[in-house]
Every structure is written in structure tokens, then in C-alpha cells.
């Protein structure tokens, strides 16, 4: 959905951003930073998904520390440096860079440290509500178990 919404924003930026402001100065600046929207939006969506995985596994602290380190250690300094060179577009690009650094760290931690074990649910008849495929057979569900 991030790719679709980014594409819509880029292709139809006039009408989309026109809803937010009719000031020519604002719309001119939005057009100038349009190139930063797709990477920032996609990186932000992916990191939200992984933050949700970490939160659902009870590892909020690990996810939060990764987010803080990536955004404050990479994103903010990059935003400052790129902002001095490219203005507001550089600021947004720097934040996207921080998120782009965070994502592989979250993926690596999730893949290497979480215990991904298969779980089968049974309601006594060999079937279980949501875990039944179209043919009526059981579907194996993977449960994510965090080692506390």
C-alpha cells in the first residue's frame, strides 16, 4: 500500500496537496521535495510493521532502542547535513536514510533471535475456525514466540 499511495502522491500531487493548501509558496515547496516522498513513505511503513512485530512479541524495548539509535544516530545527523545542502528535501531524505538503516537491523534481530515455531490449532474435529483452507484441511499457523 505504501508503493500505491506514494505513486498516487507523485502522479497526482497537484490535486492531492491542493487539498492541504492553496498557497503558491507551499505548493512550490511541496513540488520541490516530491522526490523524497516515495522512499520516506515506504521506509516508514516497513519500519512500522517491524515495530508492530517487536511490540507483539513483547520486545518493545529492543524495537524502541533500534529506532532511537537509527533515527538519532543516523537520521538526524544526515538530515542536518543533507538539509544544509538541499533544504527541506535533504531533511526528509536524511530521515528516510535513518529509517533505511533501522529496517535491516530490525529484520536481522527478528530473524536471528526470535523463535519461530509452527503451531497447529485443533477444535476436536481436525479443523479450527480461521485455520481452515478452502479445501477444508488444516492450515499450519506459525506463532512467533519471543524469548523473554
Amino acid at each position: 500500500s505504501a508503493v500505491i499511495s506514494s505513486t498516487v502522491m507523485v502522479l497526482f500531487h497537484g490535486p492531492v496537496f491542493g487539498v492541504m493548501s492553496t498557497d503558491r509558496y507551499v505548493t512550490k515547496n511541496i513540488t520541490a521535495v516530491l522526490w523524497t516522498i516515495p522512499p520516506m513513505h515506504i521506509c516508514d511503513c516497513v519500519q512500522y510493521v517491524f515495530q508492530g512485530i517487536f511490540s507483539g512479541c513483547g520486545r518493545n524495548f529492543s524495537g524502541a532502542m533500534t529506532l532511537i539509535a537509527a533515527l538519532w544516530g543516523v537520521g538526524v545527523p544526515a538530515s542536518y547535513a543533507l538539509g544544509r545542502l538541499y533544504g527541506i528535501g535533504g531533511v526528509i531524505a536524511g530521515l528516510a536514510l535513518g529509517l533505511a538503516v533501522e529496517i535491516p537491523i530490525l529484520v536481522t534481530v527478528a530473524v536471528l533471535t526470535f523463535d519461530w515455531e509452527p503451531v497447529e490449532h485443533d477444535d476436536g474435529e481436525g479443523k479450527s475456525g480461521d485455520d481452515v483452507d478452502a479445501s477444508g484441511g488444516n492450515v499450519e499457523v506459525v506463532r512467533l514466540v519471543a524469548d523473554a
Side-chain angles (χ1 to χ4, degrees), residues 1 6-8 11-12 15-16 33 44 55 110 113 118 128 134 136 144:
S1 78
S6 292
T7 303
V8 167
L11 293 177
F12 305 106
V16 170
V33 299
D44 205 26
S55 182
T113 67
S128 60
L144 186 62

Side-chain angles (χ1 to χ4, degrees), residues 34-79:
L34 198 59
W35 62 272
T36 64
I37 290 173
M40 176 65 177
H41 191 52
I42 291 167
C43 288
D44 205 26
C45 288
V46 172
Q47 77 90 20
Y48 274 130
V49 168
F50 275 93
Q51 287 293 336
I53 291 170
F54 274 70
S55 182
C57 292
R59 292 204 172 170
N60 300 32
F61 184 78
S62 297
M65 289 299 103
T66 305
L67 173 69
I68 290 169
L71 284 183
W72 287 96
V74 176
V76 170
S79 290

